[in-house]
């Protein structure tokens, strides 16, 4: 932001807040794939090389597609375009930096810091959270199996949702600013003429 000459205002803060999810997501995807190979019994360095090689192209394409989403904001004209240009550039730069760190620094740190945790003895808190995670995984597995078994119903709900969105888009008025002001306020101040003038 400093190199682009941007200040820390509401739009740039909003862009940084949104980019937090994208920044964390790239590193999580890389670490999760490396951890999968570690849990399969591979050496940490070999697991890092294999995991980063498998997921590198995916992280690259996800980041590029996220940046492509903000190209229309960069090309917008008028006042709205000038407002959102800073937002789009800040968010795109954060995603780009996140991609570079996820493909370079994250695998290097994984090779030196990650170890297979399943072979170690764990405390009660770890075992309790593992049971919760296993329960969430079983609920997800059940719901995914149900959705795949009822594909006609799932597609019907999807098409109805798309149609409802189209109706809502058609009905809701659009525009950058409200068409009329809902409230107005005026203030007036009077000063007696007898006050001395500032010197």
């Amino acid at each position: 932001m400093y190199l682009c000459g941007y200040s820390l205002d509401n739009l740039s803060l909003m862009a940084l807040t949104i980019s937090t999810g994208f920044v964390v997501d790239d590193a999580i995807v890389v670490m999760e794939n490396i951890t999968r190979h570690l849990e399969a019994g591979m050496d940490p360095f070999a697991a890092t090389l294999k995991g980063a090689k498998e997921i590198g192209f995916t992280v690259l394409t996800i980041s590029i597609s996220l940046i492509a989403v903000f190209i229309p904001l960069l090309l917008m004209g008028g006042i709205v375009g000038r407002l959102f240009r800073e937002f789009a550039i800040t968010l795109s730069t954060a995603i780009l930096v996140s991609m570079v760190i996820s493909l370079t620094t994250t695998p290097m740190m994984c090779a030196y810091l990650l170890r297979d945790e399943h072979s170690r003895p764990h405390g009660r808190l770890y075992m309790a959270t593992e049971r919760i995670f296993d329960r969430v995984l079983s609920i997800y597995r059940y719901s995914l199996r149900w959705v795949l078994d009822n594909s006609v119903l799932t597609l019907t709900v999807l098409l109805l949702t798309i149609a409802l969105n189209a109706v809502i888009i058609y009905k809701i008025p659009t525009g950058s600013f409200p068409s009329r002001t809902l409230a107005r306020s005026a203030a007036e101040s009077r000063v007696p003429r007898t006050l001395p003038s500032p010197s």
Side-chain angles (χ1 to χ4, degrees):
M1 286 174 54
Y2 176 76
L3 294 175
C4 294
Y6 295 149
S7 62
L8 206 59
D9 57 7
N10 284 344
L11 285 172
S12 59
L13 282 173
M14 184 170 66
L16 290 174
T17 304
I18 292 171
S19 67
T20 305
F22 298 138
V23 169
V24 171
D25 185 54
D26 288 344
I28 287 174
V29 167
V30 173
M31 283 182 64
E32 189 265 337
N33 199 42
I34 293 170
T35 304
R36 183 172 62 90
H37 292 300
L38 270 175
E39 290 175 352
M42 291 182 73
D43 177 64
F45 191 74
T48 299
L49 285 176
K50 186 173 184 183
K53 188 185 295 183
E54 288 175 351
I55 208 74
F57 183 73
T58 305
V59 170
L60 179 71
T61 53
I62 287 172
S63 299
I64 290 173
S65 63
L66 283 172
I67 291 170
V69 168
F70 299 106
I71 290 175
L73 288 177
L74 285 171
L75 301 177
M76 276 177 97
I79 297 171
V80 179
R82 290 175 64 190
L83 284 172
F84 281 103
R85 187 169 293 126
E86 181 178 342
F87 171 80
I89 290 176
T90 302
L91 199 49
S92 299
T93 306
I95 292 169
L96 192 65
V97 170
S98 164
M99 177 191 71
V100 171
I101 289 174
S102 295
L103 295 177
T104 56
T105 309
T106 302
M108 182 190 70
M109 291 174 66
C110 287
Y112 287 101
L113 299 176
L114 283 185
R115 298 291 175 260
D116 183 17
E117 296 290 327
H118 285 283
S119 57
R120 291 183 180 180
H122 297 290
R124 279 186 264 174
L125 180 63
Y126 180 89
M127 299 308 290
T129 55
E130 276 297 309
R131 282 194 294 274
I132 293 171
F133 291 146
D134 289 340
R135 180 74 180 138
V136 169
L137 183 62
S138 67
I139 292 170
Y140 173 72
R141 186 180 294 121
Y142 171 77
S143 62
L144 182 63
R145 190 175 294 124
W146 186 89
V147 166
L148 292 174
D149 289 342
N150 298 292
S151 57
V152 175
L153 178 62
T154 304
L155 287 174
T156 305
V157 170
L158 173 67
L159 293 174
L160 287 174
T161 305
I162 292 172
L164 182 63
N165 283 329
V167 169
I168 290 173
I169 289 170
Y170 179 74
K171 292 284 185 185
I172 293 178
T174 58
S176 304
F177 299 103
S179 57
R180 59 192 169 96
T181 306
L182 297 177
R184 290 185 181 180
S185 61
E188 185 178 332
S189 62
R190 297 182 183 217
V191 179
R193 294 178 187 255
T194 57
L195 286 177
S197 62
S199 54

